Amino acid sequence: MVVSATSLSRSGLTDFLLQRVSAIVLGLYGLCIVGFLLANPEVDYDAWVQYMASPVMLLFGTLSIVSLGVHAWIGMWTIGTDYLSEHKMGRRAVFLRLIYQGLVALSIFVYLLVGLAILWQFPFGSA
Amino acid sequence: MKKLREMEFDGLIVGGGGAGLRAAMQLSQSGYRTAVLSKVFPTRSHTVSAQGGITCAIGSEDPDDDWRWHMYDTVKGSDYIGDQEAIEYMCNVGPQVVYELEHMGLPFSRTETGRIYQRPFGGQSKDFGKGGQASRTCAAEDRTGHALLHTLYQANLKAETTFLSEWFAADLVKNQDGVIVGVVAICVETGEIVFVKSKVTVLATGGAGRIYASTTNALTNTGDGVAMALRSGVPIQDIEMWQFHPTGIHGMGILVTEGSRGEGGYLINCEGERFMERYAPTAKDLASRDVVSRSMVIEINEGRGCGPDKDHVYLKLDHLGIDVLDARLPGIMELCKTYALVDPAIEPIPVVPTCHYMMGGIATQINGQAVTQDTAGNDCPVQGLYAVGEVACVSVHGANRLGGNSLLDLVVFGRAAGIHIQDVLRQGVSYREPSSSDLEHAMERIQRWENSESGENPADVRADLQRLMQDSFSVFRTEEKMRGALSQLAEMRKRVEHAHLTDKTEVFNTARVEALELDNLLEVAEATAVAAEGRRESRGAHARVDYEERDDENWLCHSLYFSQDRSLRKRAVNFNPTIVDPFEPVARVY
Amino acid sequence: MRVSIFRFVPGMDAKPRMQDYEFELPRDRDLMVLDVLEQLKAHDSSISYRRSCREGVCGSDGMNMNGKNGLACKTPVSEVAKRDRLELRPLPGLPVIRDLVVDMSQFYRQYERVEPYLNNDSPPPAQERLQSQEERAKLDGLYECILCACCTTSCPSFWWNPDKFLGPAALLQSYRFLADSRDTATEERLAKLDDPYSVFRCRGVMNCVNSCPKDLNPTRAINQIRTLLVKSGT
């Protein structure tokens, strides 16, 4: 058993499943968007807002943004631990990885906030 | 001399094959500090190449099977110079030892009822030879040795045995009282020379098939244990008895299991005749190995060999069908396709008798302790020294081993030695520390190679030695050739003494290892030559053109070779089994 | 043919180098790569490599031949040599001790980590434990592993995390015991595998399948472990 404090769930299986489930959510969400655009070839802004502000799409959108965060963290964490490892670079790796993971976490956090802000402006209108 | 680093153990096992690992496991489980010192990582040992199985009367294929029948077959197979008390012990304890292996996880093939699968092998019978062919060889497909070796290594991991992998034992260390107190060994990875001290030393170094040019043996089977024993004054028993396996792939020396004939394969000559029917009307292709090998050589000598040079015969398996071959002999299919470029499901396999097994070795008691002989001819145990497996001669194989009996020998006597050594250690062992001259004596060889400054390439001497042995000590032997070989061997000793180790580096120096192995090959070759020339009869694997008959009056005994004066003495065969009546020698017919 | 061998002799070479040897191939038959090495070593005894059974069952002589991992003793020269050139290097991803000899201790440690032995808490019967032919068939393709390390050292995930990712060989053995009807420690075994590295670093690259000299399929075994983990997790 390899212990890793910074992995999302600390369980390989949970991470593995989360990554797959989040991918499915993102895929389905993508399909909904593409499907809407295909079904309404001459869509205008009002129709778009109306579609995005529907409760189902709001919830789905929120779920997708969270999924994106989860998916990104697991993926980026894995890449970081592949390339920035003590095995290859010694103690230096811990420091480098901390910076890398900090940056990734910050980016994901910002994306989450901005994403949610954009999404939830639809029902309430922009300022 | 610089003081050697020392390591200390309760039990030191030299060699990590089936016998060594079984003994080590027994000792480790009882809590003694046990080390296995092996020149290869344990799962690379030659046990891994054993294919067909482990013969044992567990009564799976035939519920009425009886270990006494197995004993009868083994005694007959040995041509009556197998020790009957030891054979009785092996056949009787066998089932329990095989079950233990199964409990450790060995992935045996299974019957429909879920028991261990057993196949017919050569020399097996029911009802003391009167009930026809038996199926007594327990198998894991045709990879039984691999399955067994890995299982035993795994059991040792569980038992937390210490492994000194890729360490080469140069020589035994004998103290002033003649007690063996460990070995001087080289850690191959670093080149460091270490005195590995132990209360008991078990040699489990396997055979020495590499004294021949063509052998089924691994490149590492160089008789290290035999040679170490000889150099420390311990004699070697029945070393003239070399088994030639009937079915080595022609030109490659790679083994095709006897199990292939057990599953229904048979040999044919260039006329397509199933010739074994002439030589062994009852057992046919499943006669004893010595019988089949001789028949093959006669066929070839009389011009009925196959191929452009008429120098081999064919093993026919295609009639068995692809399903049976894939299910029962998948390893053979792979080996034949890779090395003989033959698909056994379509064409016959070119085979020739090939050096396979050393029946001789260090004479031991049933508990594994090495035995020597005093000047009056009485047995006396060697303190501190044990031997198990192919390097030992308990003797259960006598003049000819039956297929499937070697794996049984490994585990039965590996275990017996382990159990006995536990008792010895429990009672307490104390011995005199070896003096510095004792250690220097054990380091002589290393020093000799280290100090060599010019001379012949050891690889050239080795090749000549192997050709000589192949030419003079094969299936049939003649006085003339053997005499000639003896004088050539004397020449070779001089060549080895003046050979040159060019590479003197420390780290993973395999040239040094091969040079030290060459010393060992030479010891075994000399012992073989003296013993083979000395035994003036034909018995089992030892077939002489000039003495065609078995001579029970003079030679119903073991030979015992001492290297100090290159003498050959006789040692009585044990005819005193404790449970059954002894089997008296009769003519051997299959 | 030109045979180019990776040479590094500590104490003599400051850094690794490639050494070229000319080798005359027989016209009438193919040789195995090990045959070539043995003949070269008879002349230059300083070339170091491991070998033992020379028939593909002991797993000693795993090496990298013209870029592909395999056993020297069962790889015909004609199969790997390109443009009359044979390039021999040690297995990648493990420290080199000397020439073609690598330090396998990391590989063995990972093997030991999966507890590669049968665990059964019930007292053994007087005879063998029964196992049906179907149950036994589940071990085929698993128990035959010879620990040559060709698979594990061709796996990028192992190159990156050799101390944390078990690697294909160890995982194949892990599944060999998970799949054995006689083993009763399935839950404990699975619990020890459920971390983000040990099993889940497998990315399905399948280099292991490609390089296995015994035609085994570690990727399939790894997927079966994942399936077992999913089943035990739900």
Side-chain angles (χ1 to χ4, degrees):
Chain A
M1 192 93 183
V2 182
V3 185
S4 35
T6 53
S7 79
L8 190 69
S9 68
R10 287 174 193 74
S11 150
L13 176 65
T14 313
D15 275 10
F16 175 80
L17 292 176
L18 280 175
Q19 202 170 18
R20 270 132 196 92
V21 170
S22 59
I24 291 170
V25 170
L26 286 170
L28 289 176
Y29 188 68
L31 278 180
C32 286
I33 303 284
V34 174
F36 173 75
L37 291 174
L38 287 177
N40 307 283
E42 286 161 31
V43 67
D44 58 10
Y45 184 69
D46 286 340
W48 176 251
V49 169
Q50 202 187 347
Y51 177 63
M52 293 303 281
S54 68
V56 173
M57 281 311 285
L58 262 184
L59 276 177
F60 199 8
T62 308
L63 183 64
S64 297
I65 289 174
V66 174
S67 291
L68 187 70
V70 167
H71 196 86
W73 176 254
I74 296 173
M76 297 303 278
W77 180 83
T78 310
I79 295 171
T81 47
D82 272 352
Y83 289 105
L84 305 172
S85 68
E86 288 96 312
H87 168 71
K88 284 277 179 302
M89 345 175 131
R91 303 283 305 158
R92 198 157 51 102
V94 182
F95 177 68
L96 285 173
R97 211 165 56 225
L98 215 62
I99 295 177
Y100 165 84
Q101 286 175 344
L103 286 173
V104 170
L106 188 69
S107 317
I108 291 176
F109 184 66
V110 171
Y111 272 110
L112 268 177
L113 283 188
V114 173
L116 289 175
I118 292 171
L119 189 67
W120 284 90
Q121 77 175 349
F122 289 123
F124 303 112
S126 56
Chain B
M1 194 180 78
K2 198 179 77 185
K3 184 148 170 51
L4 290 178
R5 180 159 76 93
E6 283 186 18
M7 295 171 89
E8 196 175 346
F9 298 98
D10 295 323
L12 171 67
I13 287 97
V14 183
L21 291 183
R22 186 61 187 80
M25 187 196 102
Q26 197 73 36
L27 269 187
S28 283
Q29 282 178 345
S30 54
Y32 288 106
R33 286 171 307 157
T34 309
V36 173
L37 184 150
S38 168
K39 65 178 175 178
V40 292
F41 180 77
T43 65
R44 324 279 181 222
S45 308
H46 191 53
T47 303
V48 82
S49 294
Q51 299 171 352
I54 174 165
T55 302
C56 188
I58 61 163
S60 162
E61 289 296 324
D62 172 11
D64 297 327
D65 200 12
D66 192 321
W67 65 264
R68 292 167 190 85
W69 302 347
H70 180 198
M71 179 182 171
Y72 165 83
D73 292 341
T74 306
V75 171
K76 178 181 170 188
S78 80
D79 221 348
Y80 299 95
I81 61 162
D83 287 334
Q84 297 202 10
E85 191 186 356
I87 296 174
E88 179 187 64
Y89 177 80
M90 177 175 82
C91 298
N92 185 17
V93 174
Q96 191 187 338
V97 182
V98 169
Y99 293 141
E100 284 169 7
L101 287 171
E102 196 282 331
H103 298 154
M104 284 176 222
L106 201 154
F108 282 112
S109 299
R110 298 289 169 157
T111 64
E112 276 176 9
T113 57
R115 291 205 63 190
I116 294 171
Y117 169 73
Q118 292 182 292
R119 60 162 55 112
F121 245 59
Q124 291 179 357
S125 75
K126 296 180 184 182
D127 197 16
F128 307 105
K130 298 190 285 280
Q133 178 71 38
S135 296
R136 196 174 289 133
T137 301
C138 309
E141 293 176 320
D142 56 356
R143 303 187 180 97
T144 317
H146 169 278
L148 182 141
L149 185 65
H150 281 251
T151 301
L152 284 174
Y153 178 64
Q154 293 160 350
N156 274 283
L157 287 178
K158 198 173 183 177
E160 298 181 1
T161 304
T162 302
F163 284 100
L164 302 174
S165 287
E166 296 179 333
W167 284 55
F168 184 85
D171 260 315
L172 296 167
V173 177
K174 191 162 77 170
N175 73 7
Q176 295 297 311
D177 303 322
V179 181
I180 304 298
V181 295
V183 299
V184 164
I186 303 172
C187 169
V188 179
E189 186 180 333
T190 62
E192 189 190 9
I193 301 167
V194 178
F195 169 37
V196 188
K197 189 156 85 173
S198 183
K199 291 174 183 155
V200 294
T201 303
V202 183
L203 291 176
T205 53
R210 284 285 150 185
I211 63 168
Y212 288 93
S214 175
T215 170
T216 64
N217 281 197
L219 292 159
T220 41
N221 286 19
T222 50
D224 305 338
V226 172
M228 280 192 275
L230 283 171
R231 281 190 297 264
S232 68
V234 176
I236 298 298
Q237 179 170 282
D238 294 339
I239 193 68
E240 66 276 23
M241 300 300 178
W242 284 91
Q243 178 162 80
F244 281 73
H245 194 290
T247 54
I249 296 177
H250 174 244
M252 301 298 303
I254 285 169
L255 173 71
V256 177
T257 175
E258 186 167 297
S260 61
R261 280 171 283 137
E263 298 289 348
Y266 55 85
L267 297 162
I268 52 174
N269 59 21
C270 69
E271 292 157 9
E273 182 205 2
R274 186 176 179 181
F275 59 83
M276 277 314 296
E277 289 176 336
R278 264 190 284 124
Y279 296 92
T282 314
K284 301 188 180 75
D285 295 84
L286 285 179
S288 225
R289 286 178 181 172
D290 56 336
V291 175
V292 180
S293 284
R294 274 195 294 276
S295 310
M296 290 166 74
V297 173
I298 292 171
E299 287 299 299
I300 292 168
N301 287 348
E302 292 181 355
R304 291 188 293 277
C306 306
D309 297 329
K310 291 190 166 292
D311 59 353
H312 57 270
V313 299
Y314 281 133
L315 171 63
K316 189 170 144 51
L317 297 179
D318 52 356
H319 58 286
L320 299 177
I322 186 87
D323 293 340
V324 170
L325 292 173
D326 278 343
R328 299 287 183 219
L329 303 167
I332 291 308
M333 295 289 278
E334 183 191 322
L335 285 173
C336 290
K337 286 177 194 168
T338 311
Y339 296 102
L341 306 178
V342 159
D343 181 352
I346 301 169
E347 319 152 77
I349 310 161
V351 290
V352 70
T354 306
C355 168
H356 182 58
Y357 188 85
M358 175 178 89
M359 265 80 71
I362 300 166
T364 70
Q365 300 170 352
I366 287 174
N367 61 30
Q369 185 156 21
V371 174
T372 183
Q373 204 180 48
D374 62 19
T375 41
N378 301 313
D379 278 2
C380 38
V382 181
Q383 297 304 317
L385 185 67
Y386 292 75
V388 288
E390 191 171 341
V391 69
C393 182
V394 185
S395 138
V396 286
H397 308 307
N400 171 66
R401 175 173 72 78
L402 293 189
N405 265 356
S406 70
L407 291 184
L408 187 65
D409 170 12
L410 303 186
V411 288
V412 164
F413 293 103
R415 175 177 174 273
I419 292 170
H420 172 74
I421 293 167
Q422 279 171 40
D423 290 341
V424 170
L425 291 172
R426 204 169 295 133
Q427 286 159 20
V429 178
S430 70
Y431 52 77
R432 202 160 9 148
E433 290 293 312
S435 67
S436 64
S437 72
D438 296 334
L439 286 170
E440 268 168 47
H441 187 65
M443 288 194 45
E444 266 168 18
R445 283 189 327 128
I446 301 176
Q447 296 300 347
R448 191 188 89 235
W449 286 108
E450 218 47 42
N451 296 336
S452 72
E453 281 169 358
S454 65
E456 205 176 352
N457 179 355
D460 294 339
V461 191
R462 184 180 60 207
D464 288 346
L465 175 80
Q466 290 166 336
R467 270 193 294 271
L468 176 67
M469 296 306 288
Q470 187 77 34
D471 187 47
S472 313
F473 300 93
S474 291
V475 176
F476 288 105
R477 298 161 176 188
T478 66
E479 181 89 28
E480 190 193 347
K481 279 221 164 165
M482 290 193 287
R483 286 266 166 86
L486 272 167
S487 62
Q488 285 191 58
L489 280 168
E491 205 49 43
M492 277 191 198
R493 176 155 288 276
K494 286 191 199 123
R495 285 172 68 191
V496 170
E497 276 164 9
H498 294 100
H500 178 213
L501 174 67
T502 48
D503 183 356
K504 302 226 168 50
T505 55
E506 295 284 321
V507 176
F508 225 100
N509 184 341
T510 50
R512 174 180 288 134
V513 172
E514 288 184 21
L516 292 164
E517 286 174 342
L518 175 62
D519 288 338
N520 296 339
L521 288 172
L522 180 68
E523 292 286 351
V524 182
E526 284 179 342
T528 301
V530 171
E533 198 270 335
R535 187 182 276 276
R536 296 203 166 88
E537 64 156 354
S538 289
R539 182 185 299 273
H542 180 61
R544 291 187 59 150
V545 178
D546 42 2
Y547 298 91
E548 279 188 319
E549 297 303 316
R550 192 172 85 187
D551 177 2
D552 284 346
E553 207 164 301
N554 295 303
W555 285 103
L556 186 62
C557 61
H558 298 297
S559 72
L560 212 53
Y561 168 79
F562 291 77
S563 70
Q564 299 95 320
D565 53 359
R566 303 209 182 156
S567 63
L568 196 67
R569 296 191 214 161
K570 291 181 178 180
R571 178 170 177 248
V573 172
N574 178 301
F575 279 95
N576 301 307
T578 54
I579 304 168
V580 301
D581 291 334
F583 296 102
E584 296 302 333
V586 291
R588 204 162 144 251
V589 184
Y590 283 98
Chain C
M1 182 177 67
R2 175 159 298 170
V3 187
S4 200
I5 301 178
F6 178 99
R7 299 298 311 269
F8 173 64
V9 184
M12 283 176 60
D13 298 317
K15 56 179 188 197
R17 60 196 161 88
M18 296 302 287
Q19 187 169 347
D20 287 351
Y21 298 85
E22 285 304 322
F23 186 87
E24 188 83 23
L25 278 173
R27 284 168 200 282
D28 55 334
R29 65 199 170 98
D30 210 351
L31 288 182
M32 296 295 172
V33 173
L34 180 65
D35 299 331
V36 175
L37 271 172
E38 286 282 289
Q39 289 185 38
L40 289 175
K41 189 172 170 67
H43 296 289
D44 179 356
S45 65
S46 72
I47 309 170
S48 280
Y49 50 90
R50 295 187 175 102
R51 86 285 182 275
S52 183
C53 77
R54 51 87 193 125
E55 57 185 26
V57 291
C58 79
S60 295
D61 60 353
M63 60 184 69
N64 188 278
M65 297 164 285
N66 282 31
K68 192 168 183 291
N69 284 0
L71 295 179
C73 61
K74 65 174 293 192
T75 306
V77 172
S78 63
E79 199 178 293
V80 284
K82 287 188 197 95
R83 274 176 261 110
D84 226 24
R85 199 180 148 82
L86 178 64
E87 195 173 283
L88 303 178
R89 292 172 180 275
L91 290 173
L94 291 174
V96 173
I97 295 174
R98 168 181 174 157
D99 299 344
L100 301 172
V101 179
V102 291
D103 180 355
M104 310 245 314
S105 36
Q106 184 67 261
F107 173 80
Y108 295 136
R109 267 199 297 278
Q110 297 294 33
Y111 172 65
E112 288 165 28
R113 247 183 71 200
V114 306
E115 298 178 7
Y117 34 78
L118 198 77
N119 282 320
N120 189 317
D121 43 25
S122 66
Q127 295 189 336
E128 71 268 47
R129 289 196 167 92
L130 297 181
Q131 185 174 46
S132 72
Q133 290 177 335
E134 293 71 32
E135 286 167 338
R136 170 60 184 75
K138 290 186 181 148
L139 308 183
D140 286 336
L142 304 172
Y143 85 94
E144 300 94 323
C145 172
I146 57 174
L147 300 178
C148 65
C150 287
C151 61
T152 295
T153 60
S154 69
C155 173
S157 256
F158 184 79
W159 298 339
W160 292 324
N161 285 298
D163 50 341
K164 299 191 182 81
F165 174 52
L166 285 164
L171 286 164
L172 189 82
Q173 288 316 297
S174 176
Y175 186 62
R176 178 247 172 277
F177 289 97
L178 286 165
D180 196 320
S181 62
R182 301 167 296 172
D183 190 277
T184 57
T186 307
E187 288 306 316
E188 294 88 326
R189 289 180 188 279
L190 288 175
K192 286 176 189 158
L193 295 172
D194 183 18
D195 64 73
Y197 286 98
S198 301
V199 180
F200 288 98
R201 274 304 149 113
C202 169
R203 308 281 171 70
V205 178
M206 294 179 83
N207 277 2
C208 52
V209 183
N210 221 4
S211 62
C212 177
K214 305 304 280 183
D215 289 329
L216 308 178
N217 190 332
T219 304
R220 187 164 59 208
I222 295 170
N223 285 336
Q224 276 156 330
I225 296 177
R226 278 193 188 133
T227 309
L228 286 178
L229 277 165
V230 170
K231 279 185 186 155
S232 78
T234 51

